[in-house]
Amino acid sequence: KRQFAVMGLGRFGSSVAQTLHEMGYEVLAIDQNEERVQDFSDKVTHVVEADTTDEDSLQALGIRNFDVVVVAIGQNIQANMLTTLQLKEMGVPYIVAKAQNALHGKMLEKIGADRVIYPERDMGKRVAHNLVSTNVLEYIALSPDLSMVEVTAPKALVGKSLLETNLRAKYAINVLAIKRKDEIIVPPLPTEKIMLEDILIVVGGNEGVQRLEELE
Amino acid sequence: KRQFAVMGLGRFGSSVAQTLHEMGYEVLAIDQNEERVQDFSDKVTHVVEADTTDEDSLQALGIRNFDVVVVAIGQNIQANMLTTLQLKEMGVPYIVAKAQNALHGKMLEKIGADRVIYPERDMGKRVAHNLVSTNVLEYIALSPDLSMVEVTAPKALVGKSLLETNLRAKYAINVLAIKRKDEIIVPPLPTEKIMLEDILIVVGGNEGVQRLEELE
Ligand SMILES: Nc1ncnc2c1ncn2[C@@H]1O[C@H](COP(=O)(O)OP(=O)(O)OP(=O)(O)O)[C@@H](O)[C@H]1O
Ligand SMILES: Nc1ncnc2c1ncn2[C@@H]1O[C@H](COP(=O)(O)OP(=O)(O)OP(=O)(O)O)[C@@H](O)[C@H]1O
């Protein structure tokens, strides 16, 4: 199984490290800030306090043995780039780096990042699209033609089983899950009856999804 | 057409504002930092320098006339929360707020945010899933227990119909759509055969989704 190192435990880096850990992968998490290292000590396999711009520290950590290193240092563009360059020179096979802006991202590609991430910029676009498309609870464009929507169950459907509502045939949509108070039913059986205040998580082509959104 | 205001022009806020503008919507962008306001002056309809925690400034801006306000102030959790509270008290119909962490997010919901965003955290999860499986093209966490993944069809499934793969029973996942070259099949019939290079868009509980991601 591949080994991952994550450098920089801000909101993005810590999320990458924690998610990898939860999925069962070995993660070495590194930050120069002692407090952040402490807070993270029980969340992944190993956490180390180090300055990743320091070549000796990188050597000591055996960083060249990692399959993937994620450079999640944010505000300090210089440290972010210097770290990326050092990792490239040490022969790390796959380097992911977070960029502050388009120019920073271009430079990262030039100095050896295999993949550049723009978390805030990409989420900003997604949120903007969400806000524009609909008033429903959540909208995610899964692809240009396919969307996922969370809607409170239209009264017209309450009391009917999923099979009876015939949503698949009528709107070409698929009910992935039903949220009912604190529980989530996934996948719901065709016999599941829709109740008042249920939240339906549905997916389908854009037209069918929109017609469901407009149902009373 | 709805009017939007975005408060805080960091990487996330400026991306929201710019994307809305590019989609043809009126955007009022606000930041207390003069330099950021200057840099943004030609990017959206209106940019204003103001402290959004100041009630008088909000009144003067006519903020209650906006349909949606996005609070994209980051590091200053107090300013972020105070701004959100003021917007709620002024009757803004839909408030989106960016949270630094889960606790901050909970508080934002309690004080009136209609939607809370975790850009770095969500992108961190997405990147982690992308790194784990080269088959994974896209990963979105739909809720704490439910995720959507786009994967290239594992060779183990090629040539089988959806019914034969028995994904629903084996992994508790649901194939929402199949992308094949330029076409998208949604929803796919149980008889649909999976072909080489198909891209499967699936949804399900986290464990089942991960097991599919790891299939060769
Ligand atoms: N040279 C370095 N070596 C190790 N860690 C570093 C170095 N420089 C910065 N860091 C760490 O990187 C982490 C993330 O950086 P920072 O908080 O500036 O970025 P950010 O873009 O605001 O992060 P995010 O948006 O992911 O929260 C910090 O915890 C910081 O201590
Ligand atoms: N009270 C306030 N009124 C107006 N703008 C504010 C206020 N407080 C902070 N801001 C602005 O909010 C913007 C975003 O805040 P900050 O840079 O701290 O967040 P961030 O989480 O690092 O942002 P991002 O990750 O989106 O880049 C800054 O440009 C800052 O000037």
Side-chain angles (χ1 to χ4, degrees):
Chain A
K1 246 184 176 180
R2 289 185 291 161
Q3 289 187 315
F4 297 86
V6 178
M7 301 178 165
L9 300 176
R11 294 155 298 189
F12 172 74
S14 54
S15 175
V16 175
Q18 248 178 293
T19 305
L20 288 170
H21 178 73
E22 283 162 15
M23 292 171 81
Y25 290 84
E26 275 209 36
V27 185
L28 171 66
I30 303 161
D31 200 294
Q32 70 180 359
N33 178 316
E34 181 178 4
E35 211 178 305
R36 291 200 175 187
V37 169
Q38 299 279 23
D39 293 342
F40 221 69
S41 55
D42 55 354
K43 292 192 180 129
V44 295
T45 343
H46 306 290
V47 200
V48 170
E49 187 183 330
D51 176 351
T52 60
T53 60
D54 177 38
E55 196 182 346
D56 296 334
S57 300
L58 293 182
Q59 299 274 12
L61 288 167
I63 223 65
R64 61 163 39 105
N65 299 325
F66 285 81
D67 302 290
V68 180
V69 179
V70 179
V71 182
I73 294 164
Q75 317 273 11
N76 189 340
I77 292 183
Q78 212 167 323
N80 171 300
M81 296 204 6
L82 186 49
T83 300
T84 300
L85 185 63
Q86 307 235 43
L87 294 172
K88 186 69 182 169
E89 312 242 295
M90 295 175 74
V92 170
Y94 196 77
I95 303 164
V96 179
K98 172 167 119 115
Q100 289 288 76
N101 56 55
L103 187 56
H104 177 204
K106 275 209 188 79
M107 296 202 280
L108 283 169
E109 285 172 4
K110 293 206 180 293
I111 67 178
D114 297 286
R115 184 157 164 225
V116 177
I117 314 278
Y118 303 85
E120 304 85 358
R121 181 197 74 173
D122 289 357
M123 279 297 273
K125 286 185 187 168
R126 197 166 128 190
V127 168
H129 281 272
N130 281 350
L131 292 176
V132 153
S133 304
T134 180
N135 294 320
V136 303
L137 304 163
E138 176 68 78
Y139 169 91
I140 296 180
L142 300 179
S143 75
D145 320 296
L146 193 67
S147 22
M148 184 219 75
V149 181
E150 277 190 34
V151 283
T152 42
K155 299 207 174 34
L157 303 180
V158 171
K160 295 186 176 162
S161 73
L162 284 182
L163 193 62
E164 286 172 316
T165 62
N166 208 16
L167 292 174
R168 206 180 259 256
K170 275 191 185 163
Y171 303 109
I173 63 179
N174 198 340
V175 180
L176 320 171
I178 299 176
K179 286 192 198 171
R180 181 171 297 157
K181 297 199 189 343
D182 293 334
E183 65 162 327
I184 183 160
I185 306 162
V186 51
L189 294 169
T191 48
E192 186 73 46
K193 269 197 169 54
I194 296 175
M195 301 173 66
L196 194 61
E197 301 197 337
D198 273 354
I199 294 174
L200 309 178
I201 303 182
V202 311
V203 174
N206 295 333
E207 195 205 312
V209 162
Q210 191 172 335
R211 282 166 57 206
L212 178 74
E213 286 175 23
E214 295 167 350
L215 257 191
E216 288 303 314
Chain B
K1 244 184 178 181
R2 288 187 289 162
Q3 289 188 315
F4 297 86
V6 178
M7 301 178 163
L9 300 177
R11 294 157 298 190
F12 173 72
S14 55
S15 176
V16 176
Q18 249 179 292
T19 306
L20 288 170
H21 178 73
E22 284 163 14
M23 293 200 277
Y25 290 84
E26 276 210 36
V27 185
L28 171 67
I30 303 161
D31 202 293
Q32 68 180 0
N33 178 315
E34 181 179 4
E35 212 179 307
R36 292 200 175 187
V37 169
Q38 299 280 21
D39 291 343
F40 221 70
S41 54
D42 56 356
K43 294 194 179 126
V44 295
T45 344
H46 305 291
V47 202
V48 171
E49 188 182 330
D51 176 352
T52 60
T53 59
D54 177 39
E55 194 181 348
D56 296 334
S57 300
L58 294 181
Q59 300 274 11
L61 288 167
I63 222 65
R64 59 165 38 105
N65 299 326
F66 285 82
D67 301 290
V68 181
V69 180
V70 179
V71 183
I73 294 164
Q75 316 273 13
N76 190 339
I77 292 184
Q78 212 166 321
N80 170 301
M81 297 205 4
L82 186 50
T83 300
T84 301
L85 185 63
Q86 307 235 45
L87 294 173
K88 186 70 181 170
E89 313 241 294
M90 295 176 77
V92 170
Y94 196 79
I95 302 164
V96 179
K98 172 167 118 113
Q100 289 288 73
N101 54 56
L103 187 55
H104 177 205
K106 275 209 187 79
M107 295 201 281
L108 283 170
E109 285 173 4
K110 293 206 181 291
I111 67 177
D114 296 286
R115 182 153 166 231
V116 176
I117 315 280
Y118 303 85
E120 303 85 358
R121 183 198 72 174
D122 288 357
M123 279 297 272
K125 285 185 191 169
R126 202 162 130 191
V127 167
H129 280 265
N130 282 347
L131 292 175
V132 154
S133 167
T134 50
N135 292 331
V136 173
L137 301 165
E138 178 65 84
Y139 170 88
I140 297 179
L142 300 180
S143 75
D145 321 292
L146 193 68
S147 22
M148 183 222 75
V149 181
E150 274 191 38
V151 285
T152 44
K155 301 209 172 34
L157 301 181
V158 171
K160 294 187 177 160
S161 73
L162 283 181
L163 193 62
E164 286 173 314
T165 62
N166 206 16
L167 293 174
R168 204 180 260 257
K170 273 191 187 165
Y171 303 111
I173 64 179
N174 198 341
V175 180
L176 318 173
I178 297 176
K179 287 190 195 172
R180 182 171 295 157
K181 299 204 188 335
D182 295 331
E183 64 162 329
I184 183 160
I185 306 161
V186 51
L189 294 169
T191 46
E192 186 73 46
K193 269 198 169 54
I194 295 174
M195 299 171 68
L196 194 60
E197 303 198 335
D198 273 354
I199 294 173
L200 310 178
I201 304 183
V202 312
V203 174
N206 294 334
E207 194 205 311
V209 162
Q210 187 175 338
R211 283 167 53 208
L212 178 73
E213 286 179 19
E214 294 169 347
L215 257 192
E216 288 301 315

